[in-house]
Amino acid sequence: MLEALGPVCDYFSLHHYSGEGGRGEYGPFASLRDFRAGLDAFLPTLRGFSMRKEPFNKWYRFPRREDDIKLAIDEWNIWNSTPRGEDNRFGVKMVYNWKDALWTSCMINTFVHYARDIGITNLAQMVNVLAPIMTDGDRSYVQTTYHVLMLYRKYLKGSLVECRFDAPKMRKGPAGELAMLDAAACQWEDGTLCLFLTNISKDENAQIVLPDAWRPLRSMRLRAPDFDDTNAVGREVVLETESEEQGRTVTVQSGTVCMVLMETVS
């Protein structure tokens, strides 16, 4: 495909839906781990084609590509198997629990990590079916994933910051070995550094020691009492807390999405 269309295509389209896939409750995280490994294997090829500049006359009916080829992840979400019934006759209506919200955070971290190669990402969908917003007759409510999406919508901006750290590993049966902590970072125009940390463990807290060059200011944390907790009309399970941070050690509780704002130390 790239051999034939590389001279004129601007985007290479990918779809990704994570699910349990027979690998237990941590299956979606294993699926995302494998997706990242696939990107690592494929991106050198995509970058190689981006460097090629074909003669224009071969493509006289189409404008020649001028910029690098970018990934368009134009469908993505978490999609586990759901029981069919009168309210879900095709088995595609997802009720997202808090574990699914943690996965959503890790997926957005993936987009940040590969931001130099990704040009477009589209969540499927926004309302109903695989969506953060659901309707129930003349009423509506937000799913657990909504709160994570809104956290990133508010704080993820500015420029990419490379985020490297040694995350503790855990083994989760058929899902295999997984990193307990996931992270991404960005820097705002005013110099503020925004760090996103996601602890996918059900029962272990994690501690991060920040570099000397940065001083934490405040943090925002999202969590729920249990991995399997879900929202519904009139029921909200997601807990949001905001606090000032003291010292360079940040504790991320089990099953928590944490956002930390920092400033440079002069």
Side-chain angles (χ1 to χ4, degrees), residues 186-195 210-219 244-248 250 259-266:
C186 63
Q187 190 166 19
W188 299 354
E189 290 186 0
D190 66 0
T192 301
L193 186 74
C194 183
L195 177 64
L210 301 172
D212 293 333
W214 295 95
R215 179 188 300 116
L217 300 173
R218 61 187 178 92
S219 62
E244 294 184 358
E245 290 291 331
Q246 303 292 332
R248 292 174 47 242
V250 176
M259 183 283 303
V260 183
L261 294 179
M262 296 178 283
E263 65 178 359
T264 56
V265 178
S266 57

Side-chain angles (χ1 to χ4, degrees), residues 31-57:
S31 176
L32 181 53
R33 176 199 61 207
D34 297 344
F35 177 68
R36 290 174 173 177
L39 289 180
D40 289 336
F42 172 67
L43 283 175
T45 299
L46 187 67
R47 293 167 186 154
F49 277 98
S50 290
M51 296 174 63
R52 296 186 185 182
K53 300 298 181 182
E54 297 288 336
F56 181 73
N57 59 356

Side-chain angles (χ1 to χ4, degrees), residues 135-166:
T135 62
D136 184 359
D138 60 353
R139 300 174 297 177
S140 66
Y141 65 97
V142 298
Q143 300 222 62
T144 56
T145 55
Y146 172 89
H147 298 280
V148 170
L149 291 167
M150 289 303 295
L151 179 74
Y152 281 85
R153 173 65 181 84
K154 182 176 181 180
Y155 293 103
L156 181 58
K157 55 187 178 181
S159 58
L160 170 70
V161 174
E162 293 287 347
C163 191
R164 301 177 186 272
F165 66 102
D166 294 323

Side-chain angles (χ1 to χ4, degrees), residues 115-247:
R116 291 190 175 92
D117 295 289
I118 296 176
I120 298 173
T121 66
N122 293 321
L123 175 69
Q125 290 85 23
M126 289 304 296
V127 179
N128 289 337
V129 189
L130 313 177
I133 303 172
M134 303 295 285
T135 62
D136 184 359
D138 60 353
R139 300 174 297 177
S140 66
Y141 65 97
V142 298
Q143 300 222 62
T144 56
T145 55
Y146 172 89
H147 298 280
V148 170
L149 291 167
M150 289 303 295
L151 179 74
Y152 281 85
R153 173 65 181 84
K154 182 176 181 180
Y155 293 103
L156 181 58
K157 55 187 178 181
S159 58
L160 170 70
V161 174
E162 293 287 347
C163 191
R164 301 177 186 272
F165 66 102
D166 294 323
K169 300 295 192 295
M170 57 186 190
R171 294 202 63 85
K172 292 298 178 181
E177 187 176 78
L178 297 167
M180 187 171 77
L181 202 63
D182 200 63
C186 63
Q187 190 166 19
W188 299 354
E189 290 186 0
D190 66 0
T192 301
L193 186 74
C194 183
L195 177 64
F196 299 91
L197 299 165
T198 305
N199 184 349
I200 68 171
S201 172
K202 292 179 67 172
D203 45 28
E204 290 187 59
N205 296 341
Q207 286 191 328
I208 293 293
V209 179
L210 301 172
D212 293 333
W214 295 95
R215 179 188 300 116
L217 300 173
R218 61 187 178 92
S219 62
M220 178 81 71
R221 286 172 169 81
L222 299 176
R223 64 190 309 269
D226 189 84
F227 257 31
D228 295 324
D229 283 345
T230 61
N231 285 351
V233 173
R235 183 180 72 225
E236 175 60 70
V237 300
V238 179
L239 308 174
E240 180 180 307
T241 58
E242 185 173 356
S243 61
E244 294 184 358
E245 290 291 331
Q246 303 292 332

Side-chain angles (χ1 to χ4, degrees), residues 16 18 27-37 103 106-107 110:
H16 180 73
S18 279
F29 299 101
S31 176
L32 181 53
R33 176 199 61 207
D34 297 344
F35 177 68
R36 290 174 173 177
W103 177 91
C106 294
M107 187 63 175
T110 302

